[in-house]
């Protein structure tokens, strides 16, 4: 009987290009997430924006970062 551990042991290792793209995807997720938080919580933001628009822009960046992460996760699950 095949269990989940045997499936993980039988699959091939990721190529260096796929591994690099996975790490780049995680880095971009973190970058957009942190940038959204910075824009929301930085009170002296250098670009003159109304606080409502600044918060809205930060929330949009955070939502976009989670969309990128969901796409990265679905690609990972599909490779298994």
């Amino acid at each position: 009987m095949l269990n989940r551990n045997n499936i993980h042991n039988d699959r091939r290792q990721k190529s260096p290009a796929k591994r690099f793209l996975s790490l780049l995807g995680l880095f971009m997720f973190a970058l957009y997430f942190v940038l959204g938080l910075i824009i929301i919580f930085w009170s002296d933001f250098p670009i003159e924006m109304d606080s409502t628009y600044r918060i809205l822009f930060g929330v949009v960046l955070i939502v976009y970062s989670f969309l990128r992460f969901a796409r990265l996760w679905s690609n990972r699950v599909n490779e298994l």
Side-chain angles (χ1 to χ4, degrees):
M1 183 164 114
L2 252 171
N3 62 17
R4 191 172 179 98
N5 291 333
N6 288 339
I7 292 171
H8 288 295
N9 291 336
D10 290 340
R11 70 182 176 114
R12 286 188 285 159
Q13 194 174 13
K14 278 187 181 180
S15 70
K18 285 185 180 181
R19 186 170 299 165
F20 172 74
L21 290 175
S22 294
L23 288 175
L24 183 63
L26 282 175
F27 174 75
M28 293 306 293
F29 158 71
L31 179 76
Y32 282 118
F33 185 77
V34 169
L35 187 61
L37 290 177
I38 287 172
I39 289 173
I40 290 173
F41 293 111
W42 191 1
S43 60
D44 297 330
F45 193 63
I47 299 173
E48 193 64 35
M49 272 187 178
D50 187 34
S51 65
T52 305
Y53 293 123
R54 192 182 74 225
I55 291 171
L56 184 65
F57 183 54
V59 168
V60 166
L61 284 174
I62 290 171
V63 168
Y64 178 67
S65 73
F66 279 108
L67 289 174
R68 287 185 64 100
F69 183 75
R71 190 180 70 189
L72 183 69
W73 186 265
S74 70
N75 285 344
R76 183 186 164 280
V77 169
N78 289 338
E79 288 177 356
L80 293 178

